[in-house]
Amino acid sequence: MDAVALQQEREFVFQRADFDKVRASLMQKAGIRLTDAKDGLVYSRLARRIRALGLSSFAEYLDFVDGSNAEQEQFVNALTTNLTSFFREPHHFDALAGYLQQHPQTTTIWCAASSTGEEPYSIAMVVAEVFGSFKTPVKIIASDIDSNVLATAREGVYPSRNIEQIPPQRRKSFFQRGRGSQSDKVRVVRELRDMVTFRQINLQQADWGFGQPVDIIFCRNVMIYFDKSTQLKVLNRMVQLLKPDGLYVAGHSENFNHQTHLVRPIGKTLYQPVKAANGT
């Protein structure tokens, strides 16, 4: 339904011009594109910020965003979708274990969209199992553009239902159950939390802060939010960051088989830089 048609049902005036300004701003700040169908999502997410700030309209809020660096971060946080779970797309973690066994010299893994932490902690569990220890040569960097989900990830506290599908031995080794009022929650054990370093990284920023090549990049179901040119730009930068025998892990909704100048498929949504094949 068009935004104008919904004005009678909405608390705040939300014109097409407001929606277009939101789209342009999010694209500029985060490289994320919004389709017309996201009208309702934009209204509901940003209406909360308008109420919290005591403002009266979207136009007033968008002017406020333009003049506030702090609110620009809240603006991006509000419009970022975070859907994740432990060991989501499990074949990727089987591939990770196999790669680590074949490349015991692996030093760095980057999880480029860590959300609330389930993905990087799943990676850390596999690393700990392969090396038989929490003390490993592998550094795990987990990043996200959303500062709120990063705070949740660092805490490593989740509803106990979130780990029901994890095998009992893994639950015993890597989680502590809460007590009393926290009995419905679990926390990732400190040794596993210490294996992961969380950073706020916007994939649009010029410097991602890596001083050396990376062995493995998990960048799953992130590119789908970018337009084609941004996808290609980010993929190219990530491939250049990977070691020649590195591993790029994409999401189930992403396919880069046609980017033959950058990557070659080596499995289901698994890729290796083409420089590995041609020696460059």
Side-chain angles (χ1 to χ4, degrees), residues 12 15 23-24 51 60 70-71 75 77 82 84 90 93 104 108 111 119 137 143 146 165 177 195 221 229 243 253:
F12 304 106
Q15 304 288 353
R23 289 205 290 191
R51 293 187 200 99
E60 186 179 5
E71 189 56 32
F75 171 85
N77 287 354
N82 294 284
T84 188
F93 298 95
T108 309
C111 175
E119 183 173 297
S143 70
D146 188 333
Q165 300 305 313
R177 290 202 170 271
M195 291 176 63
N221 302 313
S229 63
K243 293 178 180 177
S253 299

Side-chain angles (χ1 to χ4, degrees), residues 123-124 180 202 210 272 276:
I123 293 169
N202 181 341
F210 290 90
Q272 189 173 47

Side-chain angles (χ1 to χ4, degrees), residues 113-124:
S114 64
S115 187
T116 45
E118 289 91 335
E119 183 173 297
Y121 288 133
S122 298
I123 293 169

